[in-house]
Amino acid sequence: MTLSNHPHTRRRRLGVGAAAAGLLAALLAVSPAAATPGPGDESASRTAVSSEAAASAKKDVAAGEIPGQDEIVHSRNIEHLSNTPKDALAGTNSDLAFRGKYAFAGNYDGFRVFDLSNPKKPRTVTQVLCPGSQNDISVSGDLLFLSTDSSRSDDSCNSTTQPATEKSSWEGIKVFDISDARHPEYVASVETSCGSHTHTLVPERKDVYVYVSSYSPSATFPDCQPPHDGISVIKVPRKSPQRAKVIDFPVLFPDGGNPGGSVNPGVSATTGCHDITTLPSKDLAAGACMGDGILLDIKNPAKPRVIDRVQDNKNFAFWHSATFNQKADKVVFTDELGGGGAATCNAQVGPDKGADGIYDIVGKGDKRKLVFRSYYKIPRHQADTENCVAHNGSLIPVKGKDLMVQAWYQGGVSVWDFTDSAKPQEIAYFERGPISTDQLALGGSWSAYYYNGYIYSNDIEKGFDVLKIDDRRTDPAKRVKVGELNVQTQPDYFDKR
C-alpha cells in the first residue's frame, strides 16, 4: 500500500450515453436491502460489473485519474496517523461512539473497544462477539446500546439466523454495562417492531430514551406488520436497565408517508425511519425516513412530534441520515442512493443524486419550516467498481462556521464547509483507491467522526483509521473537548452551563 499527499483531480470524462442512462435508471430502482434476515451475518459482498466498467476503471487508474487499487491519497491538510485492521470480528464494520479515551466500533459480528490514549497507536482492549446486523452503536454513561436488525433465534449473543416469518424470531435493542470498558456486560434487551436498523438516544439524568428506527414491514412477518409508520420509543432506567421497555410507538406519518414507486419513481416508499438525530439542547430532532425528511419537537422526549416534513422526489431516493448545525438553523440530510452498495459517485449519476441536501430551518416554534438551499457531493469521481454515496458524518465544532466531516464509503472521507448553505465546498479529503477494478466490492468508510481533535473512520473492510486535519478553518475545534460523543445525539459544544 503506497501513501501520497498529492491530490488527484479525478474529473473523469463525462461521455454519457445510452449505457449510462440505463445505469442511472437501474440505480434509481434500487433501494436499501430489507433488514431481514441479514446481510449482517455475511461478509462484505462483491458483484460482477460489465467488461466496459472494468476496462474503464483500469484505464482511469493507469491514467492517474483515480488512485490505484488500495492506494491512499489525501489532501495536503490531512495526515493519516494510523490504521488498525480487523481482528477477531470479521464482519462489516459499521458505526462509532466515544466515551472518554475509548472508541466503541460497531461490527456486524459485535463490537470492538479501542483505547485512544495514543491516536497514532490505538490499542484494542476488548472485542465482543454478538452477531446481528447492523450493530449500530451508542453510549451514555455506563450504558452501551446495540441495534439488531436481522432476525435471530433469540436475544442472546449466541443466537443464530432465523426467518422473520417465524414468530419466535427476535430483533431489537441490546444493552451492555460498560462501567468497565474492558469487560462489557450484557444486561438487557428489548424487542422492537421490525427490529432496530438504527437507534438514537435522548439522555436524561435518571433515564435514557431510545428512538428506534426500522422499516420494511411485511404481512408475512409476525413482528413487523404493516403499516409501520412510526418509531419505537424505549425508556431505559440508568440504575436498573433490565427494566427497559417500549413505552410508545408514535405515528409520524398519519397519511402513510411518501408512496414512492409508481407515484414517485425512483423514490423509496416511507415505511418507517432509517435514522434520527437529536439535538437535546434545542429540544429538536431531525428524521431521515426513507421517502421523507422531518423536523421534530422532543421537548417531551417520550412524545416526539413532527413540526415539518419535506420530500425531494426529483433527486433523493432514500433519506438516510441527518445532521444539525450548532445553531439549529440548518439540517444536512443524506441520500443513500443505491443502498450503499452501488457506484453512484460517477459522472453518469451526476452531482445532485446520492448527495447531501442542505436545508435551512426558518421560522419559530411549531411554525418552523425546512427550506432547501443546495446539494453537496464529493467532487472526485469514483470508479464504477467503487460503492460510493453520502453516509455518516459529524460536525467539526468551530464557532461561527458550519463544518462537517463525512464518510462516503469508497469515496473516502470528506471535510466540507456549508456555512453558506447555497455554496458548500470541500476543504479536505482522504480516500483509498478501489478495492477491485474487476468487481463492484463493498467497502470504504462507513462512519467518519470528529472527536477531541482527531477524525476517526470505521472502514467496512480496511479497519479503523485515525486522521488529523491541520487547517486554519478547522484548527479552533482542537480546543473543544467533550467527554462523550454519539453523533446521532448531537452535543451543544459551546454551552458551558
Side-chain angles (χ1 to χ4, degrees):
M1 185 178 293
T2 57
L3 176 66
S4 60
N5 63 2
H6 61 279
H8 281 270
T9 55
R10 301 188 70 158
R11 307 275 183 180
R12 296 175 59 189
R13 297 175 296 278
L14 296 183
V16 181
L23 170 65
L24 180 56
L27 286 171
L28 291 176
V30 176
S31 63
T36 49
D41 310 306
E42 303 172 0
S43 298
S45 62
R46 297 192 178 202
T47 56
V49 297
S50 69
S51 57
E52 291 84 359
S56 176
K58 293 174 182 176
K59 181 179 179 181
D60 289 330
V61 168
E65 294 187 11
I66 64 174
Q69 189 168 338
D70 284 339
E71 178 187 7
I72 292 177
V73 297
H74 52 82
S75 54
R76 291 184 175 88
N77 52 359
I78 287 277
E79 181 182 0
H80 186 206
L81 297 182
S82 65
N83 170 262
T84 307
K86 290 182 182 179
D87 190 18
L89 305 178
T92 297
N93 281 335
S94 57
D95 211 1
L96 295 168
F98 304 87
R99 189 192 69 169
K101 66 179 182 180
Y102 295 110
F104 301 85
N107 178 286
Y108 278 32
D109 288 338
F111 64 95
R112 188 175 184 178
V113 183
F114 292 97
D115 184 327
L116 305 178
S117 298
N118 181 359
K120 292 184 178 180
K121 294 182 179 180
R123 183 172 60 88
T124 300
V125 296
T126 192
Q127 300 181 71
V128 176
L129 180 63
C130 195
S133 73
Q134 55 186 8
N135 277 338
D136 188 55
I137 194 166
S138 60
V139 297
S140 182
D142 290 337
L143 300 179
L144 179 147
F145 302 84
L146 278 185
S147 283
T148 300
D149 197 32
S150 58
S151 296
R152 311 296 300 182
S153 55
D154 55 50
D155 64 350
S156 75
C157 286
N158 297 316
S159 66
T160 58
T161 58
Q162 183 168 289
T165 52
E166 294 190 21
K167 177 62 179 173
S168 63
S169 294
W170 185 91
E171 299 179 66
I173 290 287
K174 295 170 180 152
V175 186
F176 290 76
D177 184 322
I178 53 168
S179 51
D180 181 352
R182 299 166 297 176
H183 300 96
E185 180 184 358
Y186 184 11
V187 295
S189 69
V190 181
E191 186 171 14
T192 54
S193 175
C194 299
S196 175
H197 194 70
T198 66
H199 67 269
T200 305
L201 308 184
V202 185
E204 304 244 308
R205 187 181 298 274
K206 293 182 179 181
D207 305 300
V208 181
Y209 291 90
V210 185
Y211 296 162
V212 176
S213 296
S214 56
Y215 53 93
S216 295
S218 169
T220 66
F221 298 163
D223 299 321
C224 183
Q225 292 283 302
H228 184 74
D229 45 18
I231 57 173
S232 298
V233 178
I234 298 173
K235 184 178 180 180
V236 185
R238 290 188 184 275
K239 292 185 178 180
S240 51
Q242 67 277 5
R243 293 170 48 210
K245 64 179 181 180
V246 175
I247 60 170
D248 201 2
F249 186 87
V251 173
L252 304 180
F253 302 98
D255 65 350
N258 196 320
S262 59
V263 177
N264 296 313
V267 177
S268 293
T270 299
T271 60
C273 289
H274 179 276
D275 211 341
I276 291 173
T277 294
T278 61
L279 186 57
S281 64
K282 306 293 187 184
D283 293 329
L284 282 177
C289 303
M290 304 181 73
D292 294 89
I294 56 175
L295 186 67
L296 302 105
D297 182 303
I298 59 167
K299 189 171 184 179
N300 179 354
K303 300 285 184 182
R305 59 185 183 86
V306 176
I307 300 173
D308 193 31
R309 168 181 161 194
V310 290
Q311 296 178 354
D312 180 347
N313 294 318
K314 179 181 180 182
N315 287 317
F316 261 48
F318 187 90
W319 295 68
H320 175 273
S321 54
T323 302
F324 288 99
N325 69 337
Q326 186 62 67
K327 290 183 179 179
D329 59 8
K330 299 177 188 176
V331 181
V332 174
F333 288 103
T334 67
D335 172 24
E336 195 181 42
L337 173 68
T344 69
C345 297
N346 50 24
Q348 292 94 325
V349 175
D352 296 339
K353 296 181 184 295
D356 295 323
I358 304 167
Y359 286 76
D360 285 350
I361 301 174
V362 299
K364 295 181 179 181
D366 286 353
K367 295 184 178 180
R368 283 172 286 192
K369 298 291 182 184
L370 293 164
V371 179
F372 173 77
R373 295 305 186 201
S374 67
Y375 298 107
Y376 169 76
K377 195 170 184 179
I378 55 174
R380 297 167 308 287
H381 290 147
Q382 309 294 305
D384 290 338
T385 58
E386 293 179 278
N387 65 303
C388 174
V389 76
H391 215 239
N392 294 354
S394 76
L395 288 185
I396 298 178
V398 175
K399 271 190 176 182
K401 296 288 185 180
D402 296 326
L403 305 176
M404 187 171 174
V405 58
Q406 187 175 358
W408 289 77
Y409 289 123
Q410 283 193 72
V413 176
S414 177
V415 180
W416 58 289
D417 184 335
F418 62 103
T419 306
D420 183 341
S421 302
K423 295 180 179 179
Q425 60 178 345
E426 183 172 78
I427 61 176
Y429 73 89
F430 166 90
E431 67 167 298
R432 292 179 169 90
I435 293 173
S436 171
T437 55
D438 296 307
Q439 297 174 304
L440 176 61
L442 179 63
S445 179
W446 178 292
S447 300
Y449 300 147
Y450 187 93
Y451 178 67
N452 291 350
Y454 299 90
I455 294 170
Y456 298 94
S457 168
N458 211 19
D459 188 288
I460 290 170
E461 281 297 291
K462 301 301 183 182
F464 186 67
D465 288 303
V466 184
L467 311 174
K468 186 178 181 181
I469 181 168
D470 287 304
D471 188 287
R472 59 179 177 78
R473 292 162 289 191
T474 61
D475 284 347
K478 296 176 183 178
R479 299 191 293 268
V480 180
K481 305 295 182 184
V482 294
E484 185 177 280
L485 179 65
N486 300 295
V487 167
Q488 287 76 31
T489 305
Q490 289 187 220
D492 188 330
Y493 289 103
F494 305 113
D495 187 351
K496 302 301 181 182
R497 290 180 295 173

